[in-house]
Amino acid sequence: GNRLCPPYPECSGEESNFWYQDTSECTEIGDLNFDFSINIQDIVLLVSFVLDESDYSYQEFVAADYNQDTDLNVLDVVGIVDAILQVD
């Protein structure tokens, strides 16, 4: 019940009942500041993560890796910008 959001790390053993997590407050990939909205603030935060590779937590990394290639870079920024522009 640590309130960690998926995707979980491979070493977590998530298939056991021990690994239950309360995901009721989880946000979607791209919501880096966890305010339940993907917007310019998330892009600014992602750019700061890309420039300073050591300044984010695991959960922030998961939310920031928009294309889920295990690397934070400009492709993640482009993906989040595209997601923002696609919203009607």
Side-chain angles (χ1 to χ4, degrees):
N2 292 322
R3 295 185 177 180
L4 297 176
C5 297
Y8 303 118
E10 291 178 23
C11 63
S12 68
E14 66 182 290
E15 58 276 342
S16 71
N17 289 334
F18 173 76
W19 187 247
Y20 171 76
Q21 296 297 313
D22 177 4
T23 59
S24 63
E25 294 182 22
C26 290
T27 60
E28 60 185 303
I29 303 291
D31 182 14
L32 280 63
N33 60 357
F34 308 111
D35 65 354
F36 299 98
S37 176
I38 298 177
N39 54 36
I40 190 69
Q41 293 171 335
D42 300 302
I43 294 169
V44 170
L45 193 54
L46 175 55
V47 169
S48 75
F49 291 167
V50 169
L51 295 176
D52 184 7
E53 296 179 6
S54 63
D55 196 30
Y56 49 80
S57 69
Y58 173 77
Q59 219 44 53
E60 289 170 325
F61 173 80
V62 169
D65 188 16
Y66 194 78
N67 61 2
Q68 298 181 344
D69 66 352
T70 67
D71 192 23
L72 297 184
N73 55 36
V74 70
L75 295 176
D76 298 302
V77 176
V78 170
I80 293 176
V81 169
D82 186 52
I84 292 170
L85 294 176
Q86 297 299 320
V87 175
D88 293 309

